Amino acid sequence: MPELRVILTIAGKEFRDRLRNRWVLVVALVFTALALTIAYFGNAQQGTLGFRSMAVTIASLVSLVIYLIPLIALMLGFDAIVGERERGTLDLVLSLPLSRGELLIGKYCGLAAALSAATVAGFGAVGAVLLPVSTPADALRFAGFVLSSVALGCAFLSIALMLSTFARDRARASGLAIGAWFFFVLVFDLLLLGGLVATSGQASGDLIAWALLANPADVFRILNVLAVEEIRSLHGLVSIFPAAYTRPAVLIAAMLAWIVLPLAVAHRRFRTST
């Protein structure tokens, strides 16, 4: 049974390392700059500039999050295990009184804390700017958007650690991480759309729903887009997502599964590897 004290010690070290090298600050500033730019210029095509309500801004920020956060999470965690092994420090660390499971979970928690801190700080600054032009309901929705962004990052961080336990070296791990980003962010929906076209749109709604739930990026998109009725039609496959699967409990469970299952696979692989 993993010991909480050991896990927290490892997590604290990982988090402090990211603070020391200013990783959290840099990522938070990137999120803030890009989000503020999108929030201000998001309506430029209609000939207007300026900050709008949080509800409308969320629609513009969804694409930013889907492209950027998975990439950052994968790059943050792809060498968490294989990097230690390649540098020759893994055996030294494992010679200490801790288990492989404690090391893996501690690293994950520390990296997840750093990613979450950067995400909340970056988007929190945007929320503070938009608060004067938003209703309390919009503010609550924006808070949900930030939390779902954190969950998306944690899901891809789990995938990154899983890949790190399977890769033989950092080069292969980075290739796998980039491949995962391309597949989930760029290729997955194209394949699904291609399948719909090939079947002349005859695929059942339940099949589409299960397919979209098999991608954490789509789960995030559904959570945030379907909450705003007037923008549903602007987001492709999400606009035909069956209503029976839009319950928050279903979507939250799917996101939690994407956080837990890859990490469980990583734990099993790391525990049995040499």
Side-chain angles (χ1 to χ4, degrees):
M1 190 71 178
E3 187 175 340
L4 181 59
R5 179 183 58 82
V6 176
I7 292 173
L8 291 178
T9 299
I10 298 169
K13 177 186 179 301
E14 290 290 331
F15 184 74
R16 287 191 299 272
D17 287 345
R18 296 309 179 281
L19 289 179
R20 192 177 299 114
N21 63 21
R22 293 181 170 79
W23 184 93
V24 173
L25 176 61
V26 170
V27 173
L29 290 176
V30 168
F31 283 152
T32 302
L34 291 177
L36 284 174
T37 301
I38 290 174
Y40 188 82
F41 293 100
N43 214 31
Q45 291 180 336
Q46 283 72 43
T48 60
L49 299 176
F51 295 113
R52 299 156 294 161
S53 70
M54 288 180 176
V56 178
T57 302
I58 287 172
S60 300
L61 294 178
V62 165
S63 295
L64 169 68
V65 170
I66 288 175
Y67 280 99
L68 193 58
I69 285 186
L71 181 61
I72 290 174
L74 288 166
M75 292 298 100
L76 178 63
F78 80 91
D79 67 342
I81 300 300
V82 72
E84 295 272 10
R85 182 181 291 117
E86 198 171 78
R87 290 189 295 270
T89 57
L90 182 59
D91 290 337
L92 177 62
V93 172
L94 291 176
S95 68
L96 300 172
L98 79 166
S99 68
R100 288 176 177 249
E102 290 166 345
L103 177 62
L104 179 73
I105 296 172
K107 278 183 168 289
Y108 175 81
C109 290
L111 295 175
L115 181 60
S116 300
T119 303
V120 172
F123 289 132
V126 178
V129 172
L130 297 178
L131 195 58
V133 295
S134 302
T135 65
D138 287 342
L140 186 61
R141 186 175 296 156
F142 190 82
F145 163 77
V146 175
L147 288 176
S148 62
S149 299
V150 169
L152 179 66
C154 290
F156 275 92
L157 185 61
S158 291
I159 294 172
L161 262 70
M162 180 183 69
L163 297 176
S164 188
T165 61
F166 281 92
R168 295 182 179 180
D169 52 53
R170 293 182 75 255
R172 288 185 176 89
S174 64
L176 289 172
I178 293 172
W181 183 83
F182 270 100
F183 175 75
F184 285 112
V185 175
L186 300 178
V187 177
F188 186 92
D189 284 356
L190 291 177
L191 292 176
L192 198 52
L193 281 170
L196 285 173
V197 172
T199 59
S200 301
Q202 298 302 310
S204 69
D206 286 347
L207 180 61
I208 294 172
W210 283 108
L212 290 173
L213 291 177
N215 183 349
D218 280 325
V219 175
F220 169 82
R221 185 184 286 114
I222 294 162
L223 272 169
N224 289 284
V225 170
L226 293 185
V228 186
E229 182 67 30
E230 60 267 24
I231 63 173
R232 291 181 60 168
S233 61
L234 303 178
H235 286 264
L237 287 168
V238 174
S239 65
I240 59 174
F241 194 77
Y245 294 87
T246 61
R247 295 192 300 273
V250 173
L251 298 171
I252 292 171
M255 187 64 81
L256 288 176
W258 270 108
I259 294 173
V260 173
L261 294 180
L263 194 59
V265 174
H267 180 271
R268 181 177 177 82
R269 169 66 179 179
F270 187 43
R271 190 180 60 183
T272 58
S273 63
T274 56

